[in-house]
Amino acid sequence: MTGIGGGVELGAQAARSRALAVLRVRSRALAVALLPAAVAVILLAGGSTGHLVGGGWDAARWAVSVLALLVLAATAAVALVVARARPAVTPTVAVAEESAPDLYRMVRDLADRLDVPAPSAIALTPDCDSWLEDRTHPAHGPPPARDHDDLSDPVGPARRRSAAAPVLVIGSPFLWWMRVGELRAVLAPVVAGTGPAAHPDIAAARRFIRGLDAAVAATSTDGRGPLARAARGGIGGVSRLLLRGCRVHAAEMERGVAAAAAERAQAVDYGLRIVAQEQVGLAYAGWDRLLTRVALPAWRMGRWPSRLDVGVVAALTELSRRDRLAEGFASRLGERPACDLLEEPGLMDEAVSLLAARLFHGGPAETGPDWAPVGWEEYPEEVVDRAWRTDAARLHRVLDTLGVRRAAEDAAPGTDGPTLSRVLDHLTTTPAEAPVPARAPAADADPDATPGTAHHATPDPDATPGTAHHATPDPDATPGTAHHATPGIGTATPDDQATSDPQAATASDPQAATAPDAQAATTPDPQPFTTPDDQPADAPAAPGSADHSDDGNGTEDDDDDLAGTTPRGAALAAGLSAQLAREEARTQALASGTAPPPPGTTTGPAATGTALWDDRALPLLPLQPPRTGREILTAHITAMVCCAAMDTAGATPGLDWLDGPTLLVDGARRADLALHVRSLVETGDPAPLRAWLSDLGVRPEKPVRLV
């Protein structure tokens, strides 16, 4: 036996032995449930034959018989819930064979070379990962049609359903970025997994585990009454107990299946697989960066980019132009891309893009006036310009609530509109005003000590403002070679330091990402860039987690974040946070007051599998944690500066594939604004920013156009 064959046999045998261990857990549970019934049968048989007679035996027969009936009824209830519970299904876009005959042909040829069953169907997911998914549960719909007439099949429908091969789920960025040969090499170990999955013991063990998991999820909801809650709690407790008993065996079983599939796939395109794995890591980095820096600002403006996968190619091509370590990746673009295996790649990209917007942002399943697709050529005007002007308008509304004058007393007529000078003058610190002491305890601050402090605009403690942080890594920095990132929807990757930490993802906010200062606050350090004020020494290790404050309202974190800023900056940040919270609360209230659109409807040739998953709690995978007050203030000031530059200096909004929205002056990107805005926010010194504005010819005293 060859080494490869022995490896496959070894991995398969380990998986089968673990599958039998899982099935033994099921058998033992059934034996325990039948034990009272067996004892009752013995007692009844002894009484009928005259061997076990007497008052004590009669009482034992009645007691054990009642107990047996109760245990059998509980066992039947648990078995019924486990059998009927619908296992979770990943939201995907189904790919019909008529819409991708070449892709199906390639997968079947790959299965033949690996000597394993071919997948029953193919689906796309908005993620950089590929896997096999069993959808043979009756709730998942009828099995795929067979090549021959079902009437000639001697086995029944149940047997055909249990023997159906799993569905091959492919990450859509792979199709657009990878070449055909690279995609085949990446899919080889995935397709090889259909061999172990077809083994009866492994398939039965997997069905049992999925049923238990679905039963736990089904019983986690509260019942309508005490009896229903008690029944759900009992069934859920038994299911969890069985899951704990199977946990180790199930993990080892899947590990054995993966080892067997990997060993078998080594015989197919082994050399090309090494190059393909590098492309996996690069595609993951580009996809994550595109979502957080480009797509998220558009989603917040009620627009969803309809060509996300095309954007991945553009982003990675731009990365190869900037990064000398990625120069060789662009040379591959002359080969045939894997998306050519689709008949209509544009429509498929549109369907995947809409699904990504639903998963990561929670958008509706259908387009409408407030949820329309946007092309990349329309992105600067439809997203960047609107986002900047919306934030600038919000900034001036908050200034109005704080009682800030629109113009100085000696200002010229016609300058009382929304001007940048109004913002600069308000945030300028005079010698009599000292910045807020760094990390000053909230209890020590006197809200009446300094006019314009944060007590003028208190944020709504019940709302969560914003969703992003603004420490931006260098877009020209090398993304690294860590192409071993664990795939998964919304998972951070070490390939791109700009997205590995939620606090480092600037472009999740339309204004912060659009700012031309994106590169000024960068650092080549491997860790995401943060200043001492941006990330206090005792800040929580996991931003966005629940343990952020002592009172549960985020007060302590907000105070820490605004420590070191000026009193007026802290007051303005508090007002902006409260305003954003109110707007977000209104949006959520309107969304909850209308029925969600029917799931499974998308644009494109295929419908997403949303009918099989619960979409009532969207987004399933939010991209960013809430923004802090400092970040909100910085984003709004940056937006106001960009609006003034566009209206008075001829600047234009633009799109950078790696950093999202950006400001263009004479067609060139300006990336030197962040440091000046930060100086104004933290120290109240407008001199660096005014010098920057003067260099570009921006007139801050002129009113700007707002939304």
Side-chain angles (χ1 to χ4, degrees):
M1 182 177 292
T2 63
I4 294 179
V8 172
E9 187 67 22
L10 182 62
Q13 287 181 354
R16 292 168 190 169
S17 64
R18 292 293 182 170
L20 291 175
V22 172
L23 296 178
R24 280 195 295 270
V25 172
R26 183 183 65 179
S27 300
R28 290 167 185 166
L30 182 60
V32 171
L34 294 177
L35 183 59
V39 175
V41 169
I42 294 174
L43 293 176
L44 291 173
S48 63
T49 58
H51 290 83
L52 304 177
V53 295
W57 288 108
D58 292 339
R61 269 189 289 271
W62 278 103
V64 174
S65 298
V66 172
L67 177 63
L69 291 176
L70 293 177
V71 172
L72 288 177
T75 302
V78 172
L80 183 63
V81 172
V82 171
R84 297 189 53 149
R86 185 176 62 182
V89 175
T90 306
T92 56
V93 175
V95 180
E97 185 169 0
E98 56 270 15
S99 64
D102 292 341
L103 180 60
Y104 273 82
R105 191 178 303 112
M106 184 196 75
V107 172
R108 291 194 180 110
D109 176 70
L110 187 59
D112 291 340
R113 293 177 60 183
L114 294 170
D115 193 22
V116 296
S120 60
I122 299 176
L124 298 183
T125 178
D127 185 26
C128 292
D129 195 5
S130 297
W131 65 89
L132 294 172
E133 187 165 290
D134 188 354
R135 297 183 179 179
T136 58
H137 192 275
H140 297 161
R146 300 177 65 91
D147 294 336
H148 58 276
D149 190 359
D150 287 342
L151 297 178
S152 64
D153 193 354
V155 299
R159 176 68 180 274
R160 288 197 301 270
R161 181 182 297 275
S162 63
V167 175
L168 174 62
V169 181
I170 305 175
S172 62
F174 293 166
L175 284 173
W176 269 260
W177 175 246
M178 290 185 173
R179 309 299 99 180
V180 174
E182 295 170 350
L183 180 65
R184 183 174 58 248
V186 167
L187 294 181
V190 182
V191 175
T194 59
H199 192 273
D201 293 335
I202 296 177
R206 284 177 166 176
R207 285 196 301 271
F208 178 59
I209 294 171
R210 284 196 302 270
L212 291 177
D213 183 72
V216 171
T219 57
S220 61
T221 58
D222 294 334
R224 296 183 178 180
L227 185 60
R229 285 195 295 269
R232 287 176 179 270
I235 296 175
V238 173
S239 301
R240 292 185 183 91
L241 180 62
L242 293 175
L243 273 179
R244 285 194 294 269
C246 301
R247 180 170 51 192
V248 175
H249 299 303
E252 293 298 329
M253 178 185 69
E254 297 300 338
R255 189 174 291 109
V257 169
E263 290 291 336
R264 184 181 292 271
Q266 285 186 0
V268 178
D269 299 333
Y270 179 75
L272 189 58
R273 284 176 60 194
I274 300 176
V275 179
Q277 288 302 319
E278 295 179 352
Q279 303 307 317
V280 170
L282 194 65
Y284 195 101
W287 178 251
D288 191 65
R289 196 157 185 162
L290 184 78
L291 290 181
T292 56
R293 302 195 175 202
V294 178
L296 191 56
W299 295 337
R300 287 175 176 161
M301 298 304 301
R303 299 290 185 268
W304 55 276
S306 58
R307 295 293 185 270
L308 282 179
D309 291 305
V310 173
V312 171
V313 179
L316 294 177
T317 304
E318 177 66 15
L319 177 63
S320 66
R321 184 186 67 83
R322 297 185 187 182
D323 189 352
R324 63 178 181 274
L325 295 181
E327 289 177 355
F329 297 138
S331 61
R332 309 163 34 264
L333 300 181
E335 305 174 13
R336 185 189 182 194
C339 62
D340 281 356
L341 299 174
L342 304 174
E343 290 294 312
E344 298 183 67
L347 294 180
M348 197 66 66
D349 190 6
E350 188 172 354
V352 174
S353 300
L354 181 57
L355 178 59
R358 300 205 68 202
L359 292 177
F360 298 115
H361 184 68
E366 294 179 329
T367 60
D370 297 328
W371 186 246
V374 60
W376 294 124
E377 66 280 356
E378 304 166 349
Y379 187 94
E381 291 296 330
E382 292 291 330
V383 177
V384 182
D385 184 82
R386 287 185 59 224
W388 283 341
R389 298 190 186 279
T390 300
D391 273 14
R394 184 183 300 111
L395 177 64
H396 282 279
R397 286 198 302 270
V398 174
L399 288 175
D400 291 339
T401 61
L402 294 177
V404 180
R405 289 178 175 270
R406 282 189 169 265
E409 296 180 356
D410 56 349
T415 60
D416 57 346
T419 64
L420 178 59
S421 294
R422 183 193 188 196
V423 179
L424 298 179
D425 294 340
H426 175 68
L427 293 177
T428 300
T429 301
T430 61
E433 296 174 332
V436 177
R439 301 193 51 76
D444 296 338
D446 183 6
D448 300 323
T450 305
T453 52
H455 72 282
H456 288 289
T458 304
D460 185 0
D462 298 325
T464 303
T467 54
H469 288 264
H470 294 308
T472 307
D474 188 357
D476 298 334
T478 303
T481 57
H483 304 296
H484 59 279
T486 302
I489 297 180
T491 310
T493 172
D495 297 86
D496 188 1
Q497 297 166 4
T499 55
S500 60
D501 185 357
Q503 289 185 343
T506 302
S508 58
D509 178 77
Q511 291 73 38
T514 57
D517 51 345
Q519 292 179 344
T522 61
T523 176
D525 190 271
Q527 299 299 326
F529 175 86
T530 53
T531 64
D533 294 329
D534 289 332
Q535 184 71 16
D538 58 351
S545 61
D547 188 18
H548 276 336
S549 64
D550 295 338
D551 57 2
N553 296 329
T555 305
E556 182 177 337
D557 282 349
D558 291 341
D559 292 340
D560 287 345
D561 174 70
L562 295 175
T565 60
T566 63
R568 292 184 177 183
L572 186 55
L576 290 170
S577 300
Q579 180 69 20
L580 278 171
R582 286 190 292 269
E583 294 176 5
E584 185 174 339
R586 284 195 297 268
T587 302
Q588 294 177 353
L590 292 175
S592 61
T594 57
T601 54
T602 67
T603 57
T608 62
T610 52
L612 305 179
W613 54 282
D614 186 4
D615 60 351
R616 291 172 296 178
L618 293 172
L620 298 179
L621 300 161
L623 291 179
Q624 298 296 330
R627 287 183 295 175
T628 63
R630 178 196 300 272
E631 293 165 347
I632 293 174
L633 177 60
T634 303
H636 284 73
I637 295 175
T638 300
M640 186 62 199
V641 172
C642 293
C643 290
M646 289 188 298
D647 291 348
T648 65
T652 57
L655 169 62
D656 185 272
W657 291 111
L658 297 177
D659 295 311
T662 187
L663 184 70
L664 302 179
V665 178
D666 296 330
R669 178 188 175 201
R670 294 303 299 257
D672 52 352
L673 178 59
L675 185 63
H676 309 317
V677 173
R678 191 167 58 207
S679 175
L680 176 65
V681 170
E682 296 178 356
T683 66
D685 181 13
L689 182 56
R690 288 188 181 276
W692 187 88
L693 296 172
S694 177
D695 181 63
L696 264 65
V698 179
R699 302 184 62 181
E701 74 280 0
K702 290 291 186 179
V704 299
R705 178 173 58 87
L706 303 178
V707 174

